[in-house]
Amino acid sequence: DAGVTQSPTHLIKTRGQHVTLRCSPISGHKSVSWYQQVLGQGPQFIFQYYEKEERGRGNFPDRFSARQFPNYSSELNVNALLLGDSALYLCASSQRTGVLNEKLFFGSGTQLSVL
Amino acid sequence: GEDVEQSLFLSVREGDSSVINCTYTDSSSTYLYWYKQEPGAGLQLLTYIFSNMDMKQDQRLTVLLNKKDKHLSLRIADTQTGDSAIYFCAESNSGNTGKLIFGQGTTLQVKP
């Protein structure tokens, strides 16, 4: 079975542009979470989606948005890119939400560089 | 608030034991996790412990939890060069299982 897949693997943008990152969860998983990992730091929670509804949001500006599709894949959109948005963006999937010890499985991430 | 802290770097010799430490602040933490990240890769779940447990052993990995001091440790027995990576401690509570709070990671260097 394929794991969590993310595309693209690398991306270079300039300030002010917008970017869309994509994630396909493990087959059978209905929940997708997005994390931002700045170099040298741990991942920070951005969003969680379950059954196409937003179930959690981290402390990120409104320039960040996401959605989940009927097939449970997800997109993360970032508008008006800033240099500080340069980071590894990780997607994680799980079968459900709201269940204790629901394990998260992470993809390899999209490395975004903003110049 | 929620905060997780780890020491940044640990160097050991191959065959020795490694102990990576973590402290957290959220007393409502339900599960605590250890993830491994190799260069250019995502996060791999290594092990986890429920907050009402003191210890969990899984092959070469031993997790110790001191809930009173909010201190978590990961011991790797017989450390190998393939164990060189960044190790992240993370906590969650029952409020939102898609949201983990991560530490800043401990880089483990294993010398031959």
Side-chain angles (χ1 to χ4, degrees), chain B residues 25-39:
Chain B
T25 58
D26 188 357
S27 57
S28 66
S29 292
T30 310
Y31 277 92
L32 296 130
Y33 301 83
W34 284 102
Y35 281 86
K36 176 183 180 183
Q37 187 175 39
E38 295 179 273

Side-chain angles (χ1 to χ4, degrees), chain A residues 20-23 32 34 47 49 52-54 65-69 72-77:
Chain A
T20 297
L21 311 180
R22 295 177 176 84
C23 171
V32 169
W34 287 95
F47 287 111
Y49 276 76
K52 294 163 285 182
E53 289 188 6
E54 183 183 299
S65 63
R67 55 180 175 167
Q68 187 177 33
F69 298 99
Y72 304 111
S73 67
S74 177
E75 282 182 355
L76 175 70
N77 295 286

Side-chain angles (χ1 to χ4, degrees), chain B residues 77-97:
Chain B
D78 187 25
T79 313
Q80 303 298 307
T81 53
D83 295 324
S84 294
I86 303 175
Y87 290 79
F88 291 95
C89 164
E91 63 170 359
S92 73
N93 60 47
S94 57
N96 184 340
T97 51

Side-chain angles (χ1 to χ4, degrees), chain A residues 15-96:
Chain A
R15 280 179 298 174
Q17 285 189 312
H18 131 274
V19 69
T20 297
L21 311 180
R22 295 177 176 84
C23 171
S24 293
I26 291 171
S27 177
H29 285 195
K30 296 181 178 181
S31 176
V32 169
S33 298
W34 287 95
Y35 286 78
Q36 180 195 65
Q37 186 179 16
V38 173
L39 188 63
Q41 297 183 20
Q44 280 202 299
F45 174 75
I46 310 175
F47 287 111
Q48 184 199 15
Y49 276 76
Y50 177 70
E51 291 280 18
K52 294 163 285 182
E53 289 188 6
E54 183 183 299
R55 294 300 185 101
R57 173 186 281 258
N59 188 21
F60 279 81
D62 291 344
R63 299 184 295 109
F64 289 76
S65 63
R67 55 180 175 167
Q68 187 177 33
F69 298 99
N71 66 353
Y72 304 111
S73 67
S74 177
E75 282 182 355
L76 175 70
N77 295 286
V78 187
N79 291 325
L81 284 167
L82 303 174
L83 296 179
D85 295 331
S86 296
L88 180 67
Y89 288 85
L90 295 165
C91 173
S93 78
S94 61
Q95 285 186 323
R96 302 153 294 185

Side-chain angles (χ1 to χ4, degrees), chain B residues 29-77:
Chain B
S29 292
T30 310
Y31 277 92
L32 296 130
Y33 301 83
W34 284 102
Y35 281 86
K36 176 183 180 183
Q37 187 175 39
E38 295 179 273
L43 299 172
Q44 175 194 353
L45 177 64
L46 288 177
T47 187
Y48 61 92
I49 188 168
F50 187 45
S51 58
N52 71 350
M53 297 170 64
D54 298 324
M55 186 185 88
K56 180 179 180 181
Q57 186 151 4
D58 185 358
Q59 299 182 332
R60 293 192 296 124
L61 305 179
T62 303
V63 179
L64 295 177
L65 175 60
N66 181 327
K67 195 172 181 181
K68 173 176 168 288
D69 293 338
K70 299 191 181 74
H71 181 266
L72 182 73
S73 68
L74 173 70
R75 178 177 180 269
I76 305 173

